Amino acid sequence: MNDVMAELAKENAQVTFVKLEAEAVPEVSEKYEISSVPTFLFFKNNQKVDRLDGANAPELTKKVHRHSSAAVPMGTGVAAKEDLNGRLKKLVNAAPCMLFMKGSPQDPRCGFSRQIVELFKQHSIQYSSFDILSDEEVRQGLKTFSNWPTYPQVYVNGELVGGLDIVKELAESGELENTCPKAVTLENRLKSLICKNNVMLFMKGNKEMAKCGFSRQMIDMLNSTGVEYDTFDILQDEEVRQGLKTFSNWPTYPQLYVKGELIGGHDIVKVLHQSFYI
């Protein structure tokens, strides 16, 4: 098969042939489910488009000729590069702090990624992440885009900060919290939510569709007063739903706040509403 590949390489100068030993790159073997050798993988624009399992010279020749002779419209390469750069720009700006890593914060797939996740946790950094093992195009393209050859990579407001060594230096100097956004504590988040509007109703559902009878009655009472108010659906955020009970020392919903101060639940508002109309 080596002779066949050598001949195919001569005949198809526009094709790049790469030979890998399966045992030397187990992550590649695992990703592409290589269970026997030889296995031939065909790529175009960093995407796998075909494969051939086993030493079948006629079939290999046929596949190489088919894929190498496929017409490529003029300018396709440039357009693909522009599309990738546009995608990378969106990704690095997807959150105020973006971590490109191997795996996820819950399951880092390399020691460097694990260390940087731990540093972010220790310093309460708010960030989002992207698993570069899940997208080979992003994995390779971001190296060129950022001119940074290794992972993990950290971006703040779309600008590259660096990798693990840089983050370590920032942590040791005390500058990490000034460089990357701090995670908002639940208490601060709750304070911000209850002050979002002069009148805030924490309920099950929203103004258009209350999800329980008490919430529906609260909406009716508030609507009848003509007061402007905003709502928060506690069914959509379990952290807020449980945290606000402790924060306000009020165990049930709905809860009504005016200028950041708790008024009470359904029964209290019902009494106030009846008094208002007496």
Side-chain angles (χ1 to χ4, degrees), residues 20-223:
L20 299 175
E21 297 294 336
E23 294 180 356
V25 284
E27 67 276 10
V28 175
S29 299
E30 181 181 354
K31 179 176 181 179
Y32 295 105
E33 300 179 347
I34 307 298
S35 57
S36 63
V37 292
T39 294
F40 302 91
L41 301 175
F42 298 80
F43 292 85
K44 278 188 178 181
N45 298 323
N46 294 320
Q47 298 293 322
K48 183 170 76 69
V49 294
D50 204 349
R51 73 181 287 156
L52 173 65
D53 296 289
N56 187 330
E59 187 64 20
L60 174 63
T61 301
K62 185 190 302 182
K63 285 179 178 289
V64 169
H65 286 163
R66 181 169 73 246
H67 291 299
S68 65
S69 62
V72 179
M74 185 176 297
T76 297
V78 175
K81 184 176 181 180
E82 290 177 349
D83 289 344
L84 176 58
N85 282 341
R87 186 180 173 212
L88 293 175
K89 286 179 181 178
K90 289 181 180 179
L91 282 173
V92 301
N93 285 282
C97 182
M98 279 295 298
L99 170 63
F100 292 82
M101 61 179 291
K102 293 181 180 179
S104 67
Q106 296 74 33
D107 184 24
R109 300 289 294 277
C110 78
F112 293 150
S113 292
R114 186 174 295 106
Q115 289 182 58
I116 211 163
V117 165
E118 189 60 33
L119 280 170
F120 278 177
K121 182 179 180 181
Q122 292 171 3
H123 293 268
S124 301
I125 300 302
Q126 181 75 39
Y127 68 100
S128 294
S129 66
F130 184 92
D131 180 6
I132 51 98
L133 296 179
S134 68
D135 194 314
E136 189 64 19
E137 185 179 49
V138 171
R139 179 179 185 176
Q140 299 303 330
L142 195 60
K143 295 178 183 179
T144 303
F145 180 84
S146 64
N147 195 27
W148 194 272
T150 59
Y151 290 99
Q153 294 182 18
V154 176
Y155 290 76
V156 173
N157 296 325
E159 298 293 330
L160 176 68
V161 173
L164 176 60
D165 290 342
I166 300 296
V167 171
K168 278 184 174 180
E169 291 176 4
L170 290 170
E172 290 170 359
S173 67
E175 289 298 313
L176 186 59
E177 289 88 345
N178 295 329
T179 303
C180 301
K182 290 274 287 182
V184 178
T185 65
L186 177 57
E187 182 178 356
N188 286 338
R189 187 178 175 215
L190 294 174
K191 287 179 179 178
S192 177
L193 283 173
I194 65 177
C195 293
K196 184 179 177 183
N197 195 304
N198 282 339
V199 180
M200 279 294 299
L201 176 63
F202 292 80
M203 60 178 288
K204 295 179 179 179
N206 54 45
K207 289 182 181 181
E208 291 72 30
M209 185 179 292
K211 296 289 184 69
C212 78
F214 291 145
S215 292
R216 187 176 299 108
Q217 291 178 47
M218 285 281 262
I219 290 290
D220 290 342
M221 286 186 286
L222 288 172
N223 286 343

Side-chain angles (χ1 to χ4, degrees), residues 8-28:
L8 287 171
K10 290 180 182 178
E11 295 175 359
N12 301 273
Q14 75 276 27
V15 178
T16 299
F17 290 81
V18 179
K19 181 179 179 181
L20 299 175
E21 297 294 336
E23 294 180 356
V25 284
E27 67 276 10
V28 175

